[in-house]
Coordinates of all heavy atoms in Angstrom, one line a residue:
M1345 N 18.5 -8.3 -20.3 CA 17.3 -8.2 -19.6 C 17.0 -6.8 -19.4 O 17.8 -6.0 -19.0 CB 17.5 -8.9 -18.2 CG 16.2 -9.0 -17.4 SD 16.4 -9.7 -15.8 CE 16.6 -11.4 -16.2
A1346 N 15.7 -6.4 -19.6 CA 15.3 -5.0 -19.5 C 15.1 -4.6 -18.1 O 14.5 -5.4 -17.3 CB 14.0 -4.8 -20.3
K1347 N 15.5 -3.4 -17.7 CA 15.3 -2.9 -16.4 C 14.0 -2.2 -16.3 O 13.7 -1.5 -17.3 CB 16.4 -2.0 -15.9 CG 17.7 -2.7 -15.8 CD 18.8 -1.7 -15.3 CE 20.1 -2.4 -15.1 NZ 21.1 -1.5 -14.6
T1348 N 13.3 -2.4 -15.3 CA 12.0 -1.6 -15.1 C 12.3 -0.4 -14.3 O 13.0 -0.4 -13.3 CB 10.9 -2.5 -14.4 OG1 11.4 -2.9 -13.2 CG2 10.5 -3.7 -15.3
A1349 N 11.8 0.7 -14.7 CA 11.9 2.0 -14.0 C 11.1 2.0 -12.8 O 10.0 1.4 -12.7 CB 11.6 3.2 -14.9
P1350 N 11.6 2.6 -11.7 CA 10.8 2.6 -10.5 C 9.5 3.5 -10.7 O 9.5 4.4 -11.5 CB 11.7 3.3 -9.4 CG 12.8 3.9 -10.2 CD 12.9 3.2 -11.5
S1351 N 8.5 3.1 -10.1 CA 7.2 3.7 -10.3 C 7.3 5.2 -9.7 O 7.6 5.4 -8.6 CB 6.1 3.0 -9.6 OG 4.9 3.7 -9.8
S1352 N 6.9 6.1 -10.6 CA 6.9 7.5 -10.1 C 5.5 8.1 -9.9 O 5.3 9.3 -9.9 CB 7.7 8.4 -11.1 OG 7.0 8.4 -12.4
V1353 N 4.6 7.1 -9.8 CA 3.2 7.5 -9.6 C 3.0 7.9 -8.2 O 3.3 7.2 -7.3 CB 2.2 6.4 -10.0 CG1 0.8 6.8 -9.7 CG2 2.4 5.9 -11.4
K1354 N 2.6 9.2 -8.0 CA 2.4 9.7 -6.6 C 0.9 9.4 -6.2 O 0.0 9.4 -7.0 CB 2.6 11.2 -6.6 CG 4.1 11.6 -6.8 CD 4.3 13.0 -6.6 CE 4.3 13.3 -5.2 NZ 4.6 14.7 -4.8
T1355 N 0.8 9.2 -4.9 CA -0.5 9.0 -4.3 C -1.3 10.3 -4.4 O -0.8 11.3 -3.9 CB -0.4 8.5 -2.9 OG1 0.4 7.3 -2.9 CG2 -1.8 8.2 -2.3
P1356 N -2.5 10.3 -4.9 CA -3.3 11.6 -4.9 C -3.5 12.0 -3.4 O -3.6 11.2 -2.5 CB -4.6 11.2 -5.5 CG -4.4 9.9 -6.2 CD -3.2 9.2 -5.5
P1357 N -3.5 13.4 -3.2 CA -3.6 13.9 -1.9 C -4.8 13.4 -1.1 O -4.8 13.2 0.1 CB -3.6 15.4 -2.1 CG -3.0 15.6 -3.4 CD -3.3 14.4 -4.2
S1358 N -6.0 13.3 -1.9 CA -7.2 12.9 -1.2 C -7.1 11.4 -0.7 O -7.6 11.1 0.4 CB -8.4 13.0 -2.2 OG -8.2 12.1 -3.3
V1359 N -6.4 10.6 -1.4 CA -6.2 9.2 -0.9 C -5.2 9.2 0.2 O -5.5 8.5 1.2 CB -5.6 8.3 -2.1 CG1 -5.3 6.9 -1.6 CG2 -6.6 8.2 -3.2
D1360 N -4.2 10.0 0.2 CA -3.2 10.1 1.3 C -3.9 10.6 2.5 O -3.7 10.1 3.6 CB -2.1 11.0 0.9 CG -1.0 11.0 1.9 OD1 -0.6 9.9 2.4 OD2 -0.4 12.1 2.1
F1361 N -4.8 11.6 2.4 CA -5.5 12.1 3.5 C -6.5 11.1 4.1 O -6.5 10.9 5.3 CB -6.4 13.4 3.1 CG -7.3 13.9 4.1 CD1 -6.9 14.7 5.2 CD2 -8.7 13.5 4.1 CE1 -7.7 15.1 6.2 CE2 -9.5 13.9 5.1 CZ -9.1 14.7 6.1
E1362 N -7.2 10.4 3.2 CA -8.1 9.3 3.7 C -7.4 8.2 4.4 O -7.8 7.7 5.4 CB -8.9 8.8 2.5 CG -9.9 9.7 1.9 CD -11.0 10.2 2.8 OE1 -11.4 9.4 3.7 OE2 -11.5 11.3 2.6
H1363 N -6.2 7.8 3.9 CA -5.4 6.8 4.5 C -4.9 7.2 5.9 O -5.0 6.5 6.9 CB -4.2 6.4 3.6 CG -3.4 5.4 4.2 ND1 -2.2 5.6 5.0 CD2 -3.5 4.0 4.2 CE1 -1.7 4.5 5.4 NE2 -2.4 3.5 4.9
S1364 N -4.5 8.5 6.0 CA -4.0 9.0 7.3 C -5.1 9.1 8.3 O -5.0 8.7 9.5 CB -3.4 10.4 7.1 OG -2.2 10.3 6.3
L1365 N -6.3 9.6 7.9 CA -7.4 9.7 8.7 C -7.9 8.3 9.2 O -8.2 8.1 10.4 CB -8.6 10.4 8.0 CG -9.8 10.7 8.9 CD1 -9.4 11.6 10.1 CD2 -10.9 11.4 8.0
D1366 N -7.9 7.3 8.3 CA -8.3 6.0 8.7 C -7.3 5.4 9.7 O -7.7 4.8 10.7 CB -8.3 5.1 7.5 CG -8.8 3.7 7.8 OD1 -9.9 3.5 8.4 OD2 -8.2 2.7 7.3
E1367 N -6.0 5.6 9.5 CA -5.0 5.1 10.4 C -5.2 5.8 11.8 O -5.0 5.1 12.8 CB -3.6 5.3 9.9 CG -2.5 4.7 10.8 CD -1.1 4.9 10.2 OE1 -0.9 5.2 9.0 OE2 -0.2 4.7 11.0
L1368 N -5.4 7.1 11.8 CA -5.6 7.8 13.0 C -6.8 7.3 13.8 O -6.8 7.1 15.0 CB -5.8 9.3 12.7 CG -6.0 10.2 13.9 CD1 -4.8 10.1 14.9 CD2 -6.1 11.7 13.4
E1369 N -7.9 7.0 13.1 CA -9.1 6.4 13.8 C -8.8 5.1 14.4 O -9.3 4.8 15.5 CB -10.3 6.4 12.8 CG -10.8 7.7 12.4 CD -11.8 7.6 11.3 OE1 -11.9 6.6 10.6 OE2 -12.6 8.6 11.0
Q1370 N -8.0 4.3 13.7 CA -7.7 2.9 14.2 C -6.8 3.1 15.4 O -7.0 2.3 16.4 CB -7.0 2.1 13.1 CG -7.9 1.7 12.0 CD -7.1 1.0 10.9 OE1 -6.0 0.5 11.1 NE2 -7.7 0.9 9.7
L1371 N -5.8 4.0 15.4 CA -5.0 4.3 16.6 C -5.8 4.7 17.8 O -5.6 4.2 18.9 CB -4.0 5.3 16.3 CG -2.7 4.9 15.6 CD1 -1.9 6.2 15.2 CD2 -1.9 4.0 16.4
V1372 N -6.8 5.6 17.6 CA -7.6 6.1 18.7 C -8.4 4.9 19.3 O -8.5 4.7 20.5 CB -8.5 7.2 18.2 CG1 -9.6 7.5 19.2 CG2 -7.7 8.4 17.9
A1373 N -9.0 4.1 18.4 CA -9.8 2.9 18.9 C -8.9 2.0 19.7 O -9.4 1.5 20.7 CB -10.4 2.2 17.7
R1374 N -7.7 1.7 19.2 CA -6.8 0.8 20.0 C -6.4 1.4 21.3 O -6.4 0.7 22.4 CB -5.5 0.5 19.2 CG -5.8 -0.5 18.1 CD -4.5 -1.1 17.4 NE -3.3 -0.7 18.0 CZ -2.2 -0.2 17.3 NH1 -2.4 0.0 16.0 NH2 -1.1 0.0 17.9
M1375 N -6.2 2.7 21.4 CA -5.8 3.4 22.6 C -7.0 3.4 23.6 O -6.8 3.3 24.8 CB -5.3 4.8 22.3 CG -3.9 4.8 21.6 SD -3.3 6.4 21.2 CE -3.0 7.1 22.8
E1376 N -8.2 3.7 23.1 CA -9.4 3.7 23.9 C -9.7 2.3 24.5 O -10.3 2.2 25.5 CB -10.6 4.2 23.1 CG -10.5 5.7 22.9 CD -11.6 6.3 22.1 OE1 -12.4 5.5 21.4 OE2 -11.8 7.5 22.1
G1377 N -9.2 1.3 23.8 CA -9.5 -0.1 24.2 C -8.7 -0.4 25.5 O -9.1 -1.3 26.3
G1378 N -7.7 0.4 25.8 CA -7.0 0.2 27.1 C -6.1 -1.0 27.2 O -5.7 -1.3 28.4
E1379 N -5.8 -1.7 26.2 CA -5.0 -2.9 26.3 C -3.6 -2.7 25.9 O -2.8 -3.7 25.8 CB -5.7 -4.0 25.4 CG -7.0 -4.4 25.9 CD -7.7 -5.5 25.1 OE1 -7.0 -6.1 24.3 OE2 -8.9 -5.7 25.3
L1380 N -3.2 -1.4 25.6 CA -1.8 -1.2 25.2 C -0.9 -0.9 26.4 O -1.4 -0.4 27.4 CB -1.7 0.0 24.2 CG -2.5 -0.1 22.9 CD1 -2.4 1.3 22.2 CD2 -1.9 -1.2 22.1
S1381 N 0.3 -1.3 26.3 CA 1.3 -1.0 27.4 C 1.5 0.5 27.3 O 1.2 1.2 26.4 CB 2.6 -1.7 27.2 OG 3.3 -1.2 26.0
L1382 N 2.2 1.0 28.3 CA 2.6 2.5 28.4 C 3.4 2.8 27.2 O 3.2 3.9 26.5 CB 3.3 2.8 29.7 CG 3.7 4.2 29.8 CD1 2.5 5.2 29.8 CD2 4.5 4.4 31.1
D1383 N 4.4 2.0 26.9 CA 5.3 2.3 25.7 C 4.5 2.3 24.4 O 4.7 3.1 23.5 CB 6.5 1.3 25.6 CG 7.5 1.6 26.7 OD1 7.6 2.7 27.2 OD2 8.3 0.6 27.0
E1384 N 3.6 1.3 24.3 CA 2.8 1.2 23.0 C 1.9 2.4 23.0 O 1.7 3.0 21.9 CB 2.0 -0.1 23.0 CG 2.8 -1.3 22.8 CD 2.0 -2.6 23.1 OE1 1.1 -2.6 23.9 OE2 2.4 -3.6 22.4
S1385 N 1.3 2.8 24.1 CA 0.4 4.0 24.1 C 1.2 5.3 23.7 O 0.6 6.1 22.9 CB -0.2 4.2 25.5 OG -1.1 3.1 25.8
L1386 N 2.3 5.4 24.2 CA 3.1 6.6 23.9 C 3.5 6.6 22.4 O 3.5 7.7 21.8 CB 4.4 6.7 24.8 CG 4.1 7.1 26.2 CD1 5.4 7.0 27.0 CD2 3.6 8.5 26.3
A1387 N 3.9 5.5 21.9 CA 4.3 5.4 20.5 C 3.1 5.7 19.6 O 3.1 6.4 18.6 CB 4.9 4.0 20.2
S1388 N 1.9 5.1 20.0 CA 0.7 5.4 19.3 C 0.3 6.8 19.3 O -0.2 7.4 18.3 CB -0.5 4.5 19.8 OG -0.2 3.1 19.6
F1389 N 0.4 7.4 20.5 CA 0.1 8.9 20.7 C 1.0 9.7 19.8 O 0.5 10.6 19.1 CB 0.3 9.3 22.1 CG -0.1 10.7 22.4 CD1 -1.4 11.2 22.4 CD2 1.0 11.6 22.5 CE1 -1.7 12.5 22.6 CE2 0.7 13.0 22.8 CZ -0.6 13.4 22.8
E1390 N 2.3 9.4 19.8 CA 3.2 10.1 18.9 C 2.9 10.0 17.4 O 2.9 11.0 16.7 CB 4.7 9.6 19.2 CG 5.7 10.4 18.4 CD 7.1 9.9 18.8 OE1 7.3 8.9 19.5 OE2 8.1 10.6 18.3
R1391 N 2.6 8.8 17.0 CA 2.1 8.5 15.6 C 0.9 9.3 15.3 O 0.7 9.9 14.3 CB 2.0 7.0 15.4 CG 1.5 6.7 14.0 CD 2.5 6.9 12.9 NE 1.9 6.5 11.6 CZ 2.2 7.2 10.5 NH1 3.0 8.2 10.5 NH2 1.6 6.8 9.4
G1392 N -0.1 9.3 16.3 CA -1.4 10.0 16.1 C -1.2 11.5 15.9 O -1.9 12.1 15.1
I1393 N -0.3 12.0 16.7 CA 0.0 13.5 16.6 C 0.5 13.8 15.2 O 0.1 14.7 14.5 CB 1.0 14.0 17.6 CG1 0.3 13.9 19.0 CG2 1.5 15.4 17.3 CD1 -0.9 14.8 19.2
G1394 N 1.4 13.0 14.7 CA 1.9 13.1 13.3 C 0.8 13.0 12.3 O 0.8 13.8 11.3
L1395 N 0.0 12.0 12.4 CA -1.1 11.9 11.5 C -2.1 13.0 11.5 O -2.6 13.5 10.5 CB -1.9 10.6 11.8 CG -1.1 9.3 11.4 CD1 -1.8 8.1 12.1 CD2 -0.9 9.1 9.9
F1396 N -2.4 13.5 12.8 CA -3.3 14.6 12.9 C -2.7 15.9 12.2 O -3.4 16.6 11.5 CB -3.5 14.9 14.4 CG -4.2 16.3 14.7 CD1 -5.5 16.4 14.5 CD2 -3.4 17.4 15.1 CE1 -6.1 17.6 14.7 CE2 -4.0 18.6 15.3 CZ -5.4 18.7 15.1
R1397 N -1.4 16.1 12.4 CA -0.8 17.3 11.8 C -0.8 17.2 10.2 O -1.0 18.1 9.5 CB 0.6 17.5 12.3 CG 0.7 18.0 13.7 CD 2.0 18.1 14.2 NE 2.0 18.6 15.6 CZ 3.0 18.5 16.5 NH1 4.1 17.8 16.1 NH2 2.8 18.9 17.7
H1398 N -0.6 15.9 9.8 CA -0.6 15.7 8.3 C -2.0 16.0 7.8 O -2.2 16.7 6.7 CB -0.2 14.3 8.0 CG -0.4 13.9 6.5 ND1 0.5 14.4 5.6 CD2 -1.3 13.2 5.9 CE1 0.1 13.9 4.4 NE2 -1.0 13.2 4.6
C1399 N -3.0 15.5 8.5 CA -4.4 15.7 8.0 C -4.8 17.2 8.1 O -5.4 17.7 7.1 CB -5.4 14.9 8.9 SG -5.4 13.2 8.6
Q1400 N -4.4 17.9 9.1 CA -4.6 19.3 9.3 C -4.0 20.1 8.1 O -4.6 21.0 7.5 CB -4.1 19.8 10.6 CG -4.5 21.2 11.0 CD -4.1 21.6 12.4 OE1 -3.0 21.2 12.8 NE2 -4.9 22.3 13.1
Q1401 N -2.7 19.7 7.8 CA -2.0 20.4 6.7 C -2.7 20.1 5.4 O -2.9 21.1 4.5 CB -0.6 19.9 6.6 CG 0.3 20.6 5.6 CD 1.7 20.1 5.5 OE1 2.0 19.0 5.9 NE2 2.6 20.9 5.1
S1402 N -3.2 18.9 5.1 CA -3.9 18.6 3.9 C -5.2 19.4 3.8 O -5.5 19.9 2.7 CB -4.2 17.1 3.9 OG -3.1 16.3 3.8
L1403 N -5.9 19.5 4.9 CA -7.1 20.3 4.9 C -6.8 21.8 4.6 O -7.6 22.5 3.8 CB -7.9 20.2 6.2 CG -8.5 18.8 6.4 CD1 -9.1 18.7 7.8 CD2 -9.6 18.6 5.4
Q1404 N -5.8 22.3 5.2 CA -5.4 23.7 4.9 C -5.0 23.9 3.5 O -5.4 25.0 2.8 CB -4.3 24.2 5.8 CG -4.7 24.3 7.3 CD -3.5 24.5 8.2 OE1 -2.3 24.2 7.9 NE2 -3.8 25.0 9.4
Q1405 N -4.3 23.0 2.9 CA -3.9 23.1 1.5 C -5.2 23.0 0.6 O -5.3 23.7 -0.4 CB -2.9 22.0 1.1 CG -1.6 22.2 1.7 CD -0.6 21.0 1.4 OE1 -1.0 20.0 1.0 NE2 0.6 21.2 1.7
A1406 N -6.1 22.2 0.9 CA -7.4 22.1 0.1 C -8.1 23.4 0.2 O -8.7 23.9 -0.8 CB -8.2 20.9 0.6
E1407 N -8.2 24.0 1.4 CA -8.9 25.2 1.6 C -8.2 26.3 0.7 O -8.9 27.1 0.1 CB -8.9 25.7 3.1 CG -9.7 27.0 3.3 CD -9.7 27.4 4.7 OE1 -9.0 26.8 5.6 OE2 -10.4 28.4 5.0
L1408 N -6.9 26.4 0.7 CA -6.2 27.4 -0.1 C -6.5 27.2 -1.6 O -6.7 28.1 -2.3 CB -4.7 27.3 0.2 CG -3.8 28.2 -0.7 CD1 -4.2 29.7 -0.4 CD2 -2.4 28.0 -0.4
R1409 N -6.6 25.9 -2.0 CA -6.9 25.6 -3.4 C -8.3 26.1 -3.8 O -8.5 26.7 -4.8 CB -6.8 24.1 -3.7 CG -5.3 23.7 -3.8 CD -5.2 22.2 -4.0 NE -5.8 21.8 -5.3 CZ -6.1 20.6 -5.7 NH1 -5.9 19.6 -4.8 NH2 -6.7 20.4 -6.9
V1410 N -9.2 25.9 -2.9 CA -10.6 26.4 -3.1 C -10.6 27.9 -3.2 O -11.2 28.5 -4.0 CB -11.6 25.9 -2.0 CG1 -12.9 26.6 -2.1 CG2 -11.7 24.4 -2.1
R1411 N -9.9 28.6 -2.2 CA -9.8 30.0 -2.3 C -9.2 30.5 -3.5 O -9.7 31.5 -4.1 CB -9.1 30.5 -1.0 CG -9.8 30.4 0.2 CD -9.0 31.0 1.4 NE -9.7 30.8 2.6 CZ -10.6 31.7 3.2 NH1 -10.8 32.8 2.5 NH2 -11.2 31.5 4.3
L1412 N -8.2 29.9 -4.0 CA -7.5 30.3 -5.3 C -8.5 30.1 -6.4 O -8.5 30.9 -7.4 CB -6.3 29.5 -5.5 CG -5.1 29.9 -4.6 CD1 -3.9 28.9 -4.8 CD2 -4.6 31.3 -5.0
L1413 N -9.3 29.1 -6.4 CA -10.2 28.8 -7.5 C -11.4 29.9 -7.5 O -11.8 30.3 -8.5 CB -10.8 27.4 -7.4 CG -9.8 26.3 -7.8 CD1 -10.4 24.9 -7.4 CD2 -9.5 26.3 -9.2
L1414 N -11.8 30.2 -6.3 CA -12.9 31.2 -6.2 C -12.4 32.6 -6.6 O -13.2 33.3 -7.2 CB -13.4 31.3 -4.7 CG -14.1 30.1 -4.2 CD1 -14.5 30.2 -2.8 CD2 -15.4 29.9 -5.0
D1415 N -11.2 33.0 -6.3 CA -10.7 34.3 -6.6 C -9.2 34.3 -6.8 O -8.5 34.6 -5.8 CB -11.1 35.4 -5.6 CG -10.8 36.8 -6.0 OD1 -10.2 37.0 -7.1 OD2 -11.2 37.7 -5.3
P1416 N -8.7 33.9 -7.9 CA -7.2 33.7 -8.1 C -6.4 35.0 -7.9 O -5.2 34.9 -7.6 CB -7.1 33.1 -9.5 CG -8.4 33.4 -10.2 CD -9.4 33.6 -9.1
D1417 N -7.0 36.2 -8.1 CA -6.3 37.4 -8.0 C -6.1 37.8 -6.5 O -5.2 38.6 -6.2 CB -6.9 38.5 -8.8 CG -6.9 38.2 -10.3 OD1 -5.9 37.6 -10.7 OD2 -7.8 38.6 -11.0
A1418 N -7.1 37.5 -5.7 CA -7.1 37.9 -4.3 C -7.6 36.7 -3.4 O -8.7 36.8 -2.9 CB -7.9 39.1 -4.1
P1419 N -6.8 35.7 -3.2 CA -7.4 34.5 -2.4 C -7.7 34.8 -1.0 O -8.6 34.2 -0.4 CB -6.2 33.5 -2.5 CG -5.0 34.2 -2.9 CD -5.5 35.5 -3.7
D1420 N -7.0 35.9 -0.4 CA -7.3 36.2 1.0 C -8.7 36.9 1.1 O -9.2 36.9 2.2 CB -6.2 37.1 1.5 CG -4.9 36.3 1.7 OD1 -5.0 35.1 1.9 OD2 -3.9 37.0 1.7
S1421 N -9.2 37.5 0.1 CA -10.5 38.2 0.2 C -11.6 37.3 -0.2 O -12.8 37.7 -0.2 CB -10.5 39.4 -0.7 OG -10.4 39.0 -2.1
A1422 N -11.4 36.0 -0.7 CA -12.4 35.1 -1.0 C -13.3 34.8 0.2 O -12.7 34.6 1.3 CB -11.9 33.8 -1.7
E1423 N -14.5 34.7 0.0 CA -15.4 34.3 1.1 C -15.4 32.8 1.3 O -15.4 32.1 0.4 CB -16.8 34.9 0.8 CG -16.9 36.4 0.8 CD -18.3 36.9 0.6 OE1 -19.3 36.1 0.9 OE2 -18.5 38.0 0.2
P1424 N -15.5 32.4 2.6 CA -15.6 30.9 2.9 C -16.8 30.3 2.2 O -17.8 30.9 2.0 CB -15.7 30.9 4.4 CG -15.3 32.2 4.9 CD -15.6 33.2 3.8
F1425 N -16.5 29.1 1.7 CA -17.6 28.3 1.1 C -18.6 27.8 2.1 O -18.3 27.3 3.1 CB -16.9 27.0 0.4 CG -17.9 26.1 -0.2 CD1 -18.6 26.4 -1.3 CD2 -18.2 24.9 0.5 CE1 -19.5 25.5 -1.9 CE2 -19.1 24.0 -0.1 CZ -19.7 24.3 -1.3
E1426 N -19.8 28.1 1.8 CA -20.9 27.7 2.7 C -21.8 26.7 2.0 O -22.4 27.0 0.9 CB -21.8 28.9 3.1 CG -21.1 29.9 3.9 CD -20.8 29.4 5.3 OE1 -21.5 28.5 5.9 OE2 -19.8 29.9 5.9
P1427 N -21.8 25.4 2.4 CA -22.5 24.4 1.7 C -24.0 24.6 1.8 O -24.5 25.1 2.8 CB -22.2 23.1 2.4 CG -21.7 23.5 3.8 CD -21.1 24.9 3.6
E1428 N -24.7 24.2 0.7 CA -26.2 24.3 0.7 C -26.8 23.2 1.4 O -26.3 22.1 1.4 CB -26.7 24.3 -0.8 CG -26.2 25.5 -1.6 CD -26.7 25.5 -3.0 OE1 -27.7 24.7 -3.3 OE2 -26.2 26.2 -3.8
L1429 N -27.8 23.4 2.2 CA -28.4 22.4 3.0 C -29.6 21.8 2.2 O -30.3 22.3 1.5 CB -28.9 22.9 4.3 CG -27.8 23.4 5.2 CD1 -28.3 24.0 6.5 CD2 -26.8 22.3 5.6

């Protein structure tokens, strides 16, 4: 019988960010609903902080990638991207 190799396909960062943000929004909605116990609220808050930090880190990495693309020799001197309106 042939063995199947474990899938080594990684989730793209944008999908991971979107999933984390969606889960964070759901946690906030449940907490705002006021129907969670104190223990559930604390666990949700703790999970939410983790998700927030993950999202923040993903955004910082994306900003660095943009800066590197704009000026690979001096990413710190690259000007922030200003979207056209």
Side-chain angles (χ1 to χ4, degrees):
M1345 185 182 286
K1347 292 183 179 180
T1348 57
S1351 178
S1352 62
V1353 177
K1354 292 185 79 178
T1355 304
S1358 61
V1359 173
D1360 189 39
F1361 172 81
E1362 294 295 330
H1363 180 266
S1364 294
L1365 186 60
D1366 184 50
E1367 185 178 345
L1368 182 57
E1369 289 172 345
Q1370 290 176 18
L1371 276 174
V1372 169
R1374 284 191 7 230
M1375 290 175 70
E1376 287 179 343
E1379 296 181 13
L1380 298 177
S1381 69
L1382 178 60
D1383 287 337
E1384 291 170 328
S1385 293
L1386 287 172
S1388 294
F1389 180 76
E1390 184 176 4
R1391 176 68 179 146
I1393 292 296
L1395 291 167
F1396 168 77
R1397 289 180 179 155
H1398 174 76
C1399 289
Q1400 189 175 37
Q1401 183 180 28
S1402 295
L1403 289 173
Q1404 289 171 343
Q1405 289 174 350
E1407 181 181 6
L1408 178 59
R1409 286 179 62 197
V1410 169
R1411 287 181 182 270
L1412 287 171
L1413 289 169
L1414 290 174
D1415 191 354
D1417 294 327
D1420 291 334
S1421 67
E1423 294 184 22
F1425 175 74
E1426 295 294 330
E1428 294 179 18
L1429 297 178

